């Protein structure tokens, strides 16, 4: 069949309402969140049933048409961007957005993959429970995108990454078959855990269409503190202290450099400094408990008193209300937006062992300084050993020129250093197209071989998200 005829058939599978035709609407699907890539695609489809997704993939498999799955398109590595106007289509999951079932006895929720993360959180809250995955993009990113990138976010310390929040998956394979493993069992040792393959696969092995998610008791007591700390070493030591003192109650432990906080205060409307004077290092930490009488405030105050005695904590404020808590979190969550206003950053998402973070930051400063002038915006999920070591153009210089020029060498320096210290060049944002060369450079040859073999078996014609992570054709 002529290519045009196949495209016509694909459009008919979803009907007129499922085809994005308007040029402005199309553009939103063709450019990535960071505007690093301008993509192109033959079609952009919005199926509203799993069977439609299956039909589309069966046709694409038969006719060797590349398929780029897309969730909220908030990914940081260009993974959801298509690159071929003749031979690639986008499948956007946004119309597959139902909460299929909430089971408060089993503490599970079964959802469509196109459900926006914030809506999943709301649905859990409406049932008096918690779905703990949380991140700055939660108003737009989708469960399918979260699982496909194995997203991290702000509560990994306590609840784990997206992968750890899943009890079952429904996936349409490259050839159109549907893998339906939605039993939601907490125990099921019956051979290879096949669903695990699709989490973190960034749409290169199949399209996730549904998931059974774990729910938790909703927190009733919440204590949030914004602290100035002596340095990043003190931040890491304070983390240990807070964990020892609170056990499971420590939900978030975020580091924010003075430079990142200053960007927010400068560029984000309504952002206010929590403390009277500026410091070079801050920590935003949160204790939560489903028990209203858990004594969290006293526990937090003990941690702060000991932290101050040891010289780790210099100053701080505790949130006294919900709006105050929101204002503290807003500073942390607005950093990516503030970086955009400041001309954009060469972003890094590295991880090392928590104990190695001070050495990493010291060596990075020493090694990158001589390479090229830059401004540093460093923040991240220190409780997970995960730092966003972001580099901006020197004040007054063009961000785009910096990113395409010295930013490339600087970026290589950051990734090499993290890997040389036993860390990862991509802790939570994935690989996509942006970091595919890093994967080849840093992943062990054996692991790479296994990845290529899996790709070959599950997607023999290489139609799933071509060019992302690894290729087999
Ligand atoms: C302000 C901001 C803050 C962020 N904070 C964090 C953070 O704290 N932690 C974090 O991990 N990330 C963070 N991110 C990155 C991003 O939001 C996450 O990677 C998120 O999980 C992507 O979800 P999405 O629905 O937007 O996926 P998309 O960007 O649409 O896609 C991401 C990848 O998944 C694939 N994909 C999408 N849906 C499916 C599906 N249903 N089946 C198969 N493959 C699919 C795509 O092909 C692509 O490869 C942040 C982004 C922004 C803009």
């Amino acid at each position: 069949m002529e290519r045009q005829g196949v495209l016509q058939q694909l459009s008919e599978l979803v009907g007129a309402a499922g085809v994005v035709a308007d040029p402005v609407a199309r553009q939103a699907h063709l450019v990535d969140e960071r505007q690093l890539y301008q993509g192109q695609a033959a079609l952009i489809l919005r199926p509203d049933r799993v069977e439609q997704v299956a039909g589309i993939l069966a046709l694409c498999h038969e006719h060797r048409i590349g398929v780029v799955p897309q969730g909220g398109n908030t990914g940081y590595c260009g993974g959801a961007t298509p690159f071929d106007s003749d031979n690639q289509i986008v499948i956007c999951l946004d119309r597959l957005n139902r909460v299929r079932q909430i089971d408060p006895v089993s503490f599970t929720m079964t959802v469509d993959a196109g459900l926006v993360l914030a809506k999943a959180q709301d649905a859990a809250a409406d049932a008096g429970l918690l779905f703990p995955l949380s991140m700055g993009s939660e108003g737009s990113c989708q469960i399918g995108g979260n699982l496909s990138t194995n997203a991290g976010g702000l509560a990994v310390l306590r609840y784990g990454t997206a992968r750890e929040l899943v009890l079952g998956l429904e996936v349409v394979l490259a050839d159109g078959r549907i893998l339906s493993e939605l039993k939601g069992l907490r125990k099921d040792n019956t051979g290879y855990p096949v669903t695990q393959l699709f989490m973190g696969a960034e749409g290169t092995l199949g399209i996730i269409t549904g998931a059974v998610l774990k729910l938790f008791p909703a927190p009733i007591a919440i204590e949030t503190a914004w602290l100035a700390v002596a340095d990043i070493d003190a931040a890491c030591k304070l983390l240990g202290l807070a964990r020892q003192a609170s056990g499971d109650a420590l939900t978030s432990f975020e580091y924010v450099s003075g430079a990142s906080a200053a960007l927010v205060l400068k560029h984000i409307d309504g952002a206010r400094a929590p403390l009277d004077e500026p410091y070079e290092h801050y920590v935003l930490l949160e204790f939560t408990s489903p028990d209203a009488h858990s004594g969290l405030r006293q526990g937090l105050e003990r941690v702060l008193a000991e932290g101050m005695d040891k010289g780790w904590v210099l100053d701080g404020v505790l949130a006294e209300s919900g709006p105050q808590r929101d204002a503290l979190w807003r500073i942390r969550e607005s950093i990516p937006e503030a970086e955009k206003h400041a001309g954009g950053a060469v972003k890094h998402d590295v991880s090392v062992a928590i104990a190695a973070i001070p050495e990493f930051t010291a060596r990075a400063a020493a090694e990158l300084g001589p390479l090229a002038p830059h401004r540093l915006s460093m923040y991240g999920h220190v409780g997970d050993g995960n730092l966003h070591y972001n580099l901006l153009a020197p004040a007054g210089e063009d961000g785009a020129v910096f990113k395409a020029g010295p930013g490339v060498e600087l970026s290589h320096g950051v990734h090499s250093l993290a890997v040389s210290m036993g860390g990862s060049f991509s802790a939570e944002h994935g690989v996509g197209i942006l970091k595919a060369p890093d994967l080849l450079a840093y992943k062990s040859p054996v692991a790479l071989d296994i990845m290529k073999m899996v790709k070959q078996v599950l997607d023999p014609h290489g139609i799933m998200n071509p060019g992302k992570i690894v290729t087999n054709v």
Side-chain angles (χ1 to χ4, degrees), residues 33 69-76 79-80 93 113 135-137 141-142 144-146 148-149 151-153 202-203 206-208 381 428-429 465:
E33 162 73 28
Q70 195 173 88
N73 201 16
T74 66
Y76 274 152
L93 277 292
M135 63 196 76
S137 53
C141 62
Q142 299 173 5
N146 298 148
S148 298
T149 54
E202 299 178 52
I207 297 191
I208 298 174
H381 318 295
E428 62 174 14
H429 294 159
N465 217 350

Side-chain angles (χ1 to χ4, degrees), residues 222-229 238 242 250 252-256 274-275 282-288 296-297 299-301 303-304 313 315-321 324-329 331-332:
I222 302 180
E223 294 293 343
T224 310
W226 177 272
L227 308 174
V229 292
L238 186 68
L250 182 63
S252 301
F253 194 97
E254 298 287 309
Y255 169 82
V256 177
L275 301 174
Y282 301 103
V283 158
L284 175 59
L285 69 81
E286 190 157 277
F287 288 177
T288 62
L296 283 190
R297 172 60 69 113
L300 179 55
E301 282 170 356
V303 169
L304 297 192
V313 177
D315 197 356
V317 60
L318 308 189
E320 297 295 349
S321 65
Q324 277 186 16
R325 171 182 180 249
D326 293 347
L328 297 180
W329 273 108
I331 296 176
R332 164 64 185 85

Side-chain angles (χ1 to χ4, degrees), residues 33 67-76 78-81 91 93 113-114 133-138 140-154 171 198 201-204 206-210 254 332-333 336-337 340 349 381 386 388 427-430 432 464-465 468:
E33 162 73 28
V67 175
V68 180
Q70 195 173 88
N73 201 16
T74 66
Y76 274 152
T81 309
I91 298 190
L93 277 292
L133 191 67
S134 162
M135 63 196 76
S137 53
E138 63 199 22
S140 313
C141 62
Q142 299 173 5
I143 295 298
N146 298 148
L147 303 186
S148 298
T149 54
N150 185 28
L154 303 167
V171 184
F198 299 92
E202 299 178 52
T204 61
I207 297 191
I208 298 174
T209 49
E254 298 287 309
R332 164 64 185 85
E333 290 183 347
E337 185 62 28
K340 270 192 199 168
D349 173 36
H381 318 295
N386 178 192
H388 299 312
E428 62 174 14
H429 294 159
M464 290 310 309
N465 217 350
K468 317 290 167 49

Side-chain angles (χ1 to χ4, degrees), residues 50-70:
V50 178
E51 294 70 29
Q52 290 182 353
V53 179
I56 294 168
L57 287 196
L59 256 185
C60 289
H61 183 74
E62 186 185 342
H63 296 281
R64 316 289 193 259
I65 293 175
V67 175
V68 180
Q70 195 173 88

